[in-house]
Amino acid sequence: MSQLLIQGGRRLDGEVRVQGAKNSVLPILAATLLTGDTVLLGNCPHLRDVEASIQILRTLGCDARWEAEGLAVDTSRMDGCAISDALMREMRSSAIFLGAILARCGQAEISYPGGCELGPRPIDLHLAGLRSLGVEIQDAGGILRCRAARLRGREIVLSFPSVGATENLMLAACGAEGTTSICNAAREPEITDLQNFLNVCGARVSGGGSSTVVVEGGRKLHGGAYTVMPDRIVAATYLCAAAAAGGTALLRDAREQHLSTVTAVLRQAGCDIVSDQAGIACVCQRRLRAVRTVRTAPYPGFPTDAQAVLMASLLRSRGATVFEENIFENRYRHVDELVRMGADIQVSGRTAVVTGVETLQGAPVRCTDLRGGAALCVAALAAEGETRVMEIGHIDRGYESMERDLRALGACVRRTEAEA
Ligand code: UD1
């Protein structure tokens, strides 16, 4: 099992190019099924979750290979419509394939993606929406057998703006007759990226980024080339790294319009942040100060995925900051590990209070989940001495190479194999 060894206490000074967005590319990979053709995805990040999606595509009879320009996916020879339980559990967002397989084949068989590190991950909103498009779903022993002789477009109102449900329904709606309106849709930038990809391939989708996404279904899609948007959560992670360690970081390709709630909080804490077409620069010269209550919310609110890394950056701030986690039940699992490094954090239900301490000390810590793992790396940069971050398989699900990027920013980090 690999681990990261991080020497803390050095100010950062460097620049890094932000990788393509995991949460964009996963639904886009599912969407390639709709084209029955070849798609070239530029800026596709090399990640464990991308490999899991490639595995799913291959079990469905499709071909995917890395080329110099990106990932080439050919879905013309798709010959399956079932995803095994093992693959469904490998990656939590595998549920997005359901809408795409149904649009292409009219039937699909998957199992539940299962619970995850963040707590239960129900897909009831996905299934209710698919049913209203005309899908019959039999749920027996954890296997979902889905069939749709005809998918019919209609208005669907989501009771919560779920990102995954919005994406799943957009994909199914592309294969439906007539127009589908998804109301109370998620507004995350990744929804717009999926819309843009679908439209490049001949779909007619509009409203992405607003609360109503409209899909004119029944159009024949074709292949094309598309460049995946930069990852706003990876950008948030490295901004928080600079805030925690102090110094200067330039994040090339990062887009501040996707990150404005995060940059607003970091400015409040005392960082200087400037951005332009090329990216975002962050300069942190002083000890940070505590900020007003940080409440996670659906986009354009503060992203739940940036909660842990922001918390890590404020551990040595002056004063106390309150966090309120409103999206996932179980999203403070990194807290116990941060406390091992000397952090002062009190958790009660969905609230966590971080009181800044003078110093943090390096310690052996374990990743509990993807963003929690990234938070341990951020805290390690601000700690005295060496931090050993273990179980980094979680981090590899979403960061191409945390050690490469942090080194580019001037940190002292190396990956080693832990002894059994
Ligand atoms: C996506 C992101 C994830 C991010 C999350 C919230 C991907 C691959 N993952 O996850 O990184 O943290 O958005 O921004 O894009 N819910 C239900 N029923 C459903 C669907 C969701 O109750 O059918 C609940 C969930 O349990 C959760 C909340 O809604 O409490 C948000 O979930 P959702 O927006 O669907 O997140 P994901 O798409 O799973």
Side-chain angles (χ1 to χ4, degrees):
M1 187 50 122
S2 304
Q3 56 186 12
L4 293 178
L5 298 178
I6 303 178
Q7 304 295 333
R10 298 162 57 120
R11 296 172 80 76
L12 299 189
D13 183 11
E15 65 175 80
V16 73
R17 195 188 72 84
V18 175
Q19 69 184 53
K22 167 176 94 66
N23 288 353
S24 264
V25 79
L26 300 180
I28 288 174
L29 285 169
T32 62
L33 290 175
L34 301 178
T35 67
D37 199 352
T38 301
V39 167
L40 181 64
L41 293 179
N43 206 25
C44 181
H46 290 253
L47 298 171
R48 251 180 65 192
D49 278 7
V50 169
E51 290 302 328
S53 296
I54 290 174
Q55 272 305 108
I56 291 176
L57 288 167
R58 288 188 178 140
T59 63
L60 297 173
C62 307
D63 185 43
R65 58 184 189 284
W66 292 97
E67 295 183 348
E69 305 80 27
L71 181 67
V73 182
D74 176 1
T75 61
S76 60
R77 283 187 294 276
M78 178 182 184
D79 60 3
C81 56
I83 305 177
S84 71
D85 188 57
L87 273 176
M88 284 300 294
R89 284 175 191 274
E90 172 74 17
M91 185 185 54
R92 310 300 174 190
S93 54
S94 47
I96 311 294
F97 277 88
L98 183 54
I101 299 175
L102 282 166
R104 172 96 184 252
C105 311
Q107 54 177 321
E109 192 178 302
I110 65 163
S111 57
Y112 278 99
C116 81
E117 310 98 27
L118 310 180
R121 208 94 178 230
I123 54 168
D124 54 319
L125 301 174
H126 305 226
L127 300 182
L130 290 172
R131 283 193 172 100
S132 60
L133 292 177
V135 182
E136 282 172 36
I137 303 175
Q138 276 181 2
D139 177 355
I143 308 279
L144 296 168
R145 293 193 175 82
C146 308
R147 199 167 272 283
R150 280 169 67 196
L151 288 166
R152 264 180 290 249
R154 54 165 294 174
E155 182 178 289
I156 300 167
V157 182
L158 295 177
S159 57
F160 180 87
S162 155
V163 176
T166 302
E167 293 164 345
N168 224 338
L169 296 172
M170 285 165 74
L171 298 183
C174 283
E177 291 166 20
T179 301
T180 298
S181 304
I182 307 168
C183 305
N184 197 25
R187 297 159 63 186
E188 270 69 359
E190 293 78 11
I191 302 285
T192 312
D193 216 30
L194 177 61
Q195 165 179 297
N196 293 343
F197 169 74
L198 289 167
N199 289 343
V200 160
C201 298
R204 199 165 282 171
V205 185
S206 56
S210 79
S211 294
T212 307
V213 175
V214 178
V215 180
E216 289 174 41
R219 295 169 65 88
K220 182 155 171 42
L221 304 198
H222 48 74
Y226 190 74
T227 303
V228 176
M229 65 176 256
D231 194 310
R232 65 194 167 100
I233 304 301
V234 169
T237 303
Y238 298 152
L239 287 174
C240 290
T248 302
L250 174 62
L251 309 185
R252 274 189 287 123
D253 291 352
R255 295 185 191 159
E256 195 181 359
Q257 78 262 31
H258 294 162
L259 278 168
S260 53
T261 47
V262 177
T263 50
V265 173
L266 290 174
R267 285 195 181 100
Q268 224 189 96
C271 302
D272 293 320
I273 297 174
V274 287
S275 65
D276 61 18
Q277 294 286 13
I280 305 180
C282 177
V283 181
C284 306
Q285 302 293 18
R286 295 171 292 275
R287 184 176 177 191
L288 300 185
R289 46 182 181 264
V291 295
R292 287 189 293 276
T293 300
V294 177
R295 296 186 172 85
T296 66
Y299 194 85
F302 189 90
T304 175
D305 284 350
Q307 175 255 103
V309 290
L310 177 68
M311 183 183 287
S313 73
L314 291 172
L315 297 177
R316 288 172 58 230
S317 63
R318 223 184 291 272
T321 298
V322 177
F323 285 81
E324 193 181 286
E325 171 56 51
N326 296 307
I327 306 295
F328 289 107
E329 277 175 31
N330 204 356
R331 211 152 198 189
Y332 288 134
R333 293 180 60 204
H334 51 281
V335 163
D336 286 347
E337 302 299 307
L338 294 175
V339 168
R340 285 171 186 264
M341 300 173 73
D344 178 350
I345 309 169
Q346 303 295 326
V347 174
S348 167
R350 61 168 60 175
T351 304
V353 181
V354 177
T355 306
V357 293
E358 287 286 331
T359 55
L360 295 170
Q361 299 86 39
V365 287
R366 283 178 196 284
C367 300
T368 50
D369 58 85
L370 165 58
R371 306 303 170 186
L376 301 181
C377 298
V378 170
L381 298 174
E384 291 172 3
E386 182 177 273
T387 295
R388 182 149 49 97
V389 183
M390 296 176 282
E391 299 187 20
I392 59 172
H394 291 288
I395 295 178
D396 294 338
R397 283 189 38 229
Y399 296 80
E400 277 192 335
S401 173
M402 180 68 94
E403 65 275 21
R404 175 198 68 198
D405 288 354
L406 291 182
R407 277 201 297 263
L409 290 172
C412 181
V413 185
R414 66 196 170 91
R415 180 182 288 247
T416 64
E417 288 310 310
E419 285 137 36

